[in-house]
Amino acid sequence: MVIVLERSIRDDDKERLRDFLTGRGFKVREIVGEEETIFGAVGSVAIDLREVELRPGVQRVIPISKPFKLASRELKQSDSVVTVGPIRIGGPRIAVIAGPCAVESEELILEAARIVRESGGVALRGGAFKPRTSPYSFQGHGEAGLRFLKSAGERYGMPVVSEIVAPAYVDMFCEYVDLMQIGARNMQNFELLKAVGATGRPVMLKRGLCATIEEWLMAAEYLLAHGTEDVILCERGIRTFETYTRNSLDISSIPVARKLTHLPILVDPSHATGLREKVPPVGLGAVAAGADGLIVEVHPTPDEALSDGPQTLFPEQFEKLMRDIEALSPVVGRELTRIPRQSREAMVSTVTPADAAPADAAPAGGRQAGAVPIAYQGARGAYSEMALLRFFHDLEFTAEPRRHFRDVFDAVLQGTARYGIVPVENSLAGSVHENYDLLLQYPDLTITGEIKLRIEHSLIGLPGSSLESITRVFSHPQALAQCDDFLRTRGWTVVPFYDTAGSVAHIAEEGRLEYAAIANARAAEVYGMQILKEGIETNPRNYTRFVVLTRDEAASVEDANLASLVFATPDKPGALFAAMQIMAAASLNLKKLESRPIPGKPWEYMFYVDLELPDTEEPFREALERLPEVVNDLRVLGIYRGV
Ligand code: PEP
Ligand code: MN
């Protein structure tokens, strides 16, 4: 049962309630949510719910109807995020775990780790105890394999995942492995589930070859009931009559399980298909269906792999899959985790208490001590705020609204915000010139990150309003233009407003049923309004690119893949060509070139360049040294990780 506690419950009442429940044979888990704190109480004993309901500090009691209790959404409504070493699985980011089927040797796993890390995988997999169909097949290197795996993970800064096949190995796995995997064949090995659950460590539970979703969730319940709170589900295909693939990926299990449980869900397209050429399309399908990430087999030379070679990706295929996931993620409102969390942690650790001092405007929702203040332009619920929430998902931060773009730059410069986030380009409307100009005017700020957000507009009205009651629609002119097909036939009066989310705040304030606003769906939630129609933009391929600004973080090429530069050219033939030539000679791939007039110098221009950085630093450094020979006022705006 779920016991919702009164906000004002006294500590001693809470303890008495806990004692009462455990005394009656229940296992009690406290879950502190944003809105309320609950006790989840599970056990095989029957109890009259009124006995619980009447106790001091209890607001209400809800029975859990499903046979799985701790795993169920009824117990916990928000999505769980499982922390494995420095990474998180679940939430708005997509995590990709990869590596060979088996740890074949120390050298092999080191090389595989390098490949995984370079392509942006966040954790390394590798089997040391292989449950093979034939007793004559390679069985893995056992403890030595785990040792090699752990040291490869440490070398490349990745947590490691490996399959545990017997309760007797639990201590050994706790020594070497960050995420224990329960394989498909062991999904209902209940003694194993109990022993692994009792470690309290994160576990990835694969779905059994013939298991129903309910059986799978019951197996997760075993793990949770025996002590761990960190269970990740993994759909890896089930056995059907189909023979062209090794298994059949049950893609519908993703949304079905998502509704039934709060646990994160990964998908293993390698074991699901058994064929490497099928792995990328099926993996992308899983991401599109809402998976929290993938676990994929990749090997430096799959043709020589000792197990599962035919389903194992070549390094280039894995790299391409990662790029495709990165491009697909914003479509489903996600972002691929490619930035190592260490650098995000470095972001937090560089915040001094002075940095976190109150800013010039009080943030909405109050400030948490130690949280990183981050400024964005617009009202609460703005697209910029959404980009901020996505980018800084795993930091403790306060999102601080500012009225103008310049105020965001000022806040970062003055240190009242540690970071700022501003849009620089929309895929339909083009560059946000004001921010390009501001980048130039604030030489102390640098770009430290980038995020692309899919722009989906909703028509938002007051609770109780309907499409029929609307006569006036407010929004930013760009949003109005982007919804022109939808608006044209309605005959409503269209009123330009300075900001999309601000227009929702405006109609909320006016309180008139005939008013509507266009903004993102989250703005409706923020202002307690109602969505009248979602996805009203004419072109669904609408993305905005935001950059993250900071003041005193030195730009570093490590882990970066993009650089932004700005320079002026002398007024003579071939001046820009000479600059381009230096970049071409250094094999720097130009992603974007934009010119802006120089204020006060008619017909003279600054050129903004976005470059893809090569694997080695040298050519970029050389180009930076040579460019001043042919351009003026060269500035590196930032060296950062981006899509
Ligand atoms: C594996 O991941 O190596 C494995 C054996 O997977 P499954 O248990 O899904 O077959
Ligand atoms: Mn395998």
Side-chain angles (χ1 to χ4, degrees):
M1 74 191 116
V2 176
I3 303 158
V4 181
L5 306 180
E6 304 267 14
R7 271 172 183 271
S8 56
I9 187 170
R10 291 172 21 181
D11 286 346
D12 53 341
D13 283 337
K14 200 158 142 183
E15 279 328 297
R16 269 198 288 272
L17 175 64
R18 193 194 295 273
D19 291 345
F20 165 76
L21 291 163
T22 42
R24 290 297 197 90
F26 285 93
K27 284 201 163 118
V28 180
R29 183 158 300 177
E30 181 171 347
I31 300 171
V32 182
E34 267 181 27
E35 303 292 322
E36 54 195 17
T37 297
I38 63 166
F39 270 0
V42 294
S44 53
V45 277
I47 190 171
D48 184 342
L49 295 188
R50 286 171 299 183
E51 270 192 77
V52 183
E53 216 147 28
L54 288 171
R55 298 193 69 89
V58 172
Q59 196 190 78
R60 67 202 140 96
V61 180
I62 310 157
I64 300 176
S65 60
K66 300 283 186 306
F68 43 89
K69 310 286 181 193
L70 296 170
S72 94
R73 268 262 180 235
E74 290 173 68
L75 179 80
K76 182 168 182 276
Q77 275 153 29
S78 62
D79 292 334
S80 286
V81 175
V82 171
T83 302
V84 183
I87 66 158
R88 290 164 149 224
I89 296 178
R93 292 174 187 278
I94 305 272
V96 178
I97 301 171
C101 181
V103 180
E104 297 172 11
S105 68
E106 191 167 10
E107 299 71 44
L108 175 278
I109 195 69
L110 266 175
E111 178 57 6
R114 188 188 62 77
I115 291 162
V116 172
R117 183 68 184 72
E118 273 183 8
S119 296
V122 293
L124 179 67
R125 64 150 287 152
F129 294 86
K130 294 304 304 174
R132 305 301 298 275
T133 304
S134 162
Y136 310 117
S137 302
F138 173 60
Q139 305 282 309
H141 288 305
E143 184 166 358
L146 294 182
R147 203 166 43 240
F148 299 151
L149 180 70
K150 181 179 159 89
S151 68
E154 279 169 356
R155 168 90 178 269
Y156 288 96
M158 288 182 287
V160 297
V161 186
S162 199
E163 176 171 353
I164 178 163
V165 291
Y169 298 139
V170 158
D171 290 342
M172 187 201 296
F173 271 69
C174 286
E175 191 180 335
Y176 296 109
V177 169
D178 303 288
L179 176 63
M180 281 185 257
Q181 169 175 332
I182 305 276
R185 287 153 201 82
N186 274 316
M187 190 203 84
Q188 283 186 319
N189 180 340
F190 298 115
E191 291 311 312
L192 182 63
L193 295 174
K194 287 183 202 170
V196 170
T199 64
R201 301 284 200 97
V203 190
M204 182 178 72
L205 176 67
K206 290 199 148 188
R207 181 174 175 188
L209 276 69
C210 297
T212 63
I213 294 172
E214 188 156 304
E215 285 164 343
W216 187 24
L217 295 178
M218 287 309 291
E221 189 74 12
Y222 261 88
L223 291 165
L224 294 165
H226 282 85
T228 183
E229 296 189 6
D230 293 322
V231 176
I232 300 163
L233 298 169
C234 178
E235 166 63 58
R236 45 79 74 205
I238 47 175
R239 188 160 282 182
T240 67
F241 47 80
E242 183 51 67
T243 54
Y244 275 103
T245 50
R246 182 171 173 183
N247 292 288
S248 296
L249 181 74
D250 179 8
I251 204 153
S252 56
S253 77
I254 305 163
V256 170
R258 170 82 64 224
K259 184 140 192 200
L260 294 170
T261 178
H262 53 88
L263 301 174
I265 305 163
L266 296 183
V267 168
D268 174 347
S270 307
H271 292 87
T273 59
L275 298 163
R276 77 169 66 95
E277 63 166 20
K278 313 285 186 261
V279 170
V282 168
L284 288 170
V287 171
D292 294 303
L294 302 179
I295 176 161
V296 178
E297 287 183 344
V298 60
H299 188 289
T301 48
D303 291 337
E304 293 160 26
L306 297 182
S307 67
D308 284 350
Q311 70 191 33
T312 298
L313 296 182
F314 283 95
E316 316 74 78
Q317 288 177 305
F318 178 60
E319 167 62 26
K320 163 108 175 59
L321 173 61
M322 292 298 281
R323 275 188 280 120
D324 288 347
I325 296 173
E326 202 152 20
L328 171 66
S329 303
V331 178
V332 287
R334 300 286 197 108
E335 194 203 347
L336 179 70
T337 302
R338 282 184 97 166
I339 305 172
R341 212 170 114 75
Q342 287 93 309
S343 57
R344 286 172 182 274
E345 265 159 8
M347 280 179 164
V348 197
S349 65
T350 54
V351 179
T352 62
D355 281 334
D360 43 337
R367 183 190 297 276
Q368 297 151 276
V372 184
I374 306 167
Y376 67 97
Q377 184 273 332
R380 288 197 59 224
Y383 285 102
S384 289
E385 190 195 28
M386 264 176 85
L388 187 163
L389 297 177
R390 290 265 170 80
F391 188 87
F392 290 102
H393 173 246
D394 41 18
L395 279 194
E396 215 179 278
F397 62 83
T398 51
E400 313 226 339
R402 292 291 188 280
R403 191 165 173 95
H404 303 290
F405 290 134
R406 181 179 288 281
D407 302 336
V408 174
F409 282 76
D410 277 337
V412 180
L413 183 69
Q414 291 156 10
T416 51
R418 182 73 180 79
Y419 298 99
I421 192 160
V422 291
V424 288
E425 189 179 0
N426 175 266
S427 60
L428 301 179
S431 294
V432 183
H433 291 132
E434 187 182 342
N435 284 329
Y436 273 97
D437 294 346
L438 284 165
L439 279 169
L440 212 57
Q441 291 167 30
Y442 286 75
D444 292 334
L445 304 194
T446 51
I447 299 173
T448 186
E450 178 208 50
I451 177 167
K452 291 191 180 105
L453 188 76
R454 181 171 169 202
I455 304 297
E456 289 176 281
H457 295 305
S458 291
L459 185 75
I460 295 167
L462 268 80
S465 66
S466 67
L467 287 177
E468 288 67 44
S469 67
I470 300 306
T471 59
R472 284 171 93 79
V473 180
F474 299 81
S475 196
H476 188 277
Q478 210 174 69
L480 292 168
Q482 290 178 352
C483 300
D484 194 46
D485 277 6
F486 173 78
L487 292 172
R488 209 174 325 140
T489 54
R490 310 271 159 175
W492 297 331
T493 307
V494 166
V495 188
F497 211 78
Y498 74 94
D499 179 72
T500 53
S503 68
V504 182
H506 176 68
I507 64 157
E509 223 170 81
E510 295 288 307
R512 297 175 62 152
L513 290 179
E514 62 274 28
Y515 284 4
I518 293 177
N520 75 70
R522 202 176 148 265
E525 211 178 291
V526 169
Y527 297 101
M529 296 288 102
Q530 185 197 341
I531 296 170
L532 300 177
K533 195 157 171 59
E534 255 178 317
I536 59 169
E537 65 277 5
T538 307
N539 187 340
R541 295 172 71 169
N542 185 356
Y543 298 89
T544 296
R545 178 174 165 244
F546 294 83
V547 292
V548 178
L549 305 168
T550 183
R551 188 185 52 183
D552 28 36
E553 239 161 60
S556 142
V557 178
E558 203 189 327
D559 287 322
N561 65 343
L562 284 179
S564 296
L565 313 177
V566 61
F567 53 77
T569 51
D571 186 13
K572 64 175 191 193
L576 181 60
F577 177 70
M580 298 291 110
Q581 216 167 17
I582 289 175
M583 293 187 236
S587 302
L588 299 172
N589 186 17
L590 227 65
K591 304 290 281 185
K592 188 177 181 206
L593 176 65
E594 169 102 17
S595 67
R596 291 288 301 146
I598 303 177
K601 293 188 179 172
W603 325 124
E604 287 190 37
Y605 299 89
M606 295 299 290
F607 292 94
Y608 291 80
V609 175
D610 288 344
L611 293 170
E612 206 165 52
L613 293 175
D615 291 341
T616 53
E617 198 176 329
E618 214 35 49
F620 177 61
R621 292 281 163 223
E622 273 170 25
L624 279 190
E625 265 169 40
R626 288 191 53 206
L627 276 170
E629 296 163 15
V630 299
V631 305
N632 304 324
D633 305 325
L634 173 68
R635 214 185 106 205
V636 179
L637 292 173
I639 297 174
Y640 52 97
R641 180 97 216 167
V643 185

